[in-house]
Amino acid sequence: MKQTEQDILSRSKEITENYFQFLDKHIADVISGKADDFMEINQIANELFISHKHLTDIVQKETGNHPCHFYDLKILEEAKRMLSETDKSVSEIAKILTYDPSNFSKFFKKFVGQTPGQFRKENKNSEKFTMK
């Protein structure tokens, strides 16, 4: 039986969606302590029952970006949330996200353009004006 182009496109979207759902759950598991460390992309591909190359090719074709791009963005999303919504130290947040604190600060600054401390200060300041 020959796969139609529509079936192939549908399967590509399904794989990409499964990847995003897996990332959300996996990152939540790391933050809650259910998982000790972040998985590599090849480990995630294995969990999704596809090859590393196939996962990379499909996500890149569907989104225009490598799977690692979205992994980093989702980790940064959680880091920003913790920085602005909790009083945990930058070091504590780094450890929760399985980073060495100095590497976490470099990672954060590379993508966000400011250190975690600067980000927190900017985002906490805006809350000061709304609190009474």
Side-chain angles (χ1 to χ4, degrees):
M1 186 183 250
K2 189 177 176 184
Q3 276 191 315
T4 66
E5 195 172 317
Q6 187 64 36
D7 291 338
I8 293 168
L9 288 173
S10 177
R11 180 68 179 134
S12 293
K13 289 186 187 327
E14 180 185 351
I15 289 169
T16 301
E17 185 57 37
N18 288 346
Y19 172 69
F20 289 140
Q21 288 173 357
F22 187 91
L23 277 188
D24 289 339
K25 182 183 180 325
H26 178 56
I27 291 169
D29 286 349
V30 170
I31 289 168
S32 70
K34 289 181 188 172
D36 293 332
D37 209 350
F38 287 114
M39 298 170 97
E40 301 286 332
I41 295 293
N42 63 334
Q43 294 170 306
I44 293 172
N46 286 339
E47 291 289 319
L48 297 174
F49 304 104
I50 58 177
S51 73
H52 175 256
K53 181 174 178 6
H54 190 58
L55 175 63
T56 301
D57 290 349
I58 293 295
V59 171
Q60 199 145 16
K61 186 178 130 207
E62 283 292 315
T63 66
N65 288 298
H66 192 278
C68 291
H69 172 78
F70 298 104
Y71 210 165
D72 289 341
L73 288 181
K74 287 181 179 285
I75 292 168
L76 287 164
E77 224 174 79
E78 284 302 319
K80 287 177 178 180
R81 184 190 62 74
M82 285 189 261
L83 287 164
S84 59
E85 295 177 9
T86 74
D87 290 326
K88 287 179 172 59
S89 70
V90 172
S91 182
E92 284 178 283
I93 292 170
K95 287 177 184 156
I96 289 168
L97 296 172
T98 74
Y99 279 85
D100 171 84
S102 69
N103 288 340
F104 172 71
S105 290
K106 289 175 194 167
F107 166 76
F108 192 92
K109 186 170 184 176
K110 176 183 170 190
F111 286 95
V112 180
Q114 54 189 178
T115 67
Q118 291 167 330
F119 177 86
R120 170 174 271 163
K121 187 177 179 185
E122 254 182 42
N123 288 278
K124 291 285 184 183
N125 285 343
S126 61
E127 289 177 11
K128 285 180 186 171
F129 298 113
T130 59
M131 297 197 313
K132 294 193 178 194

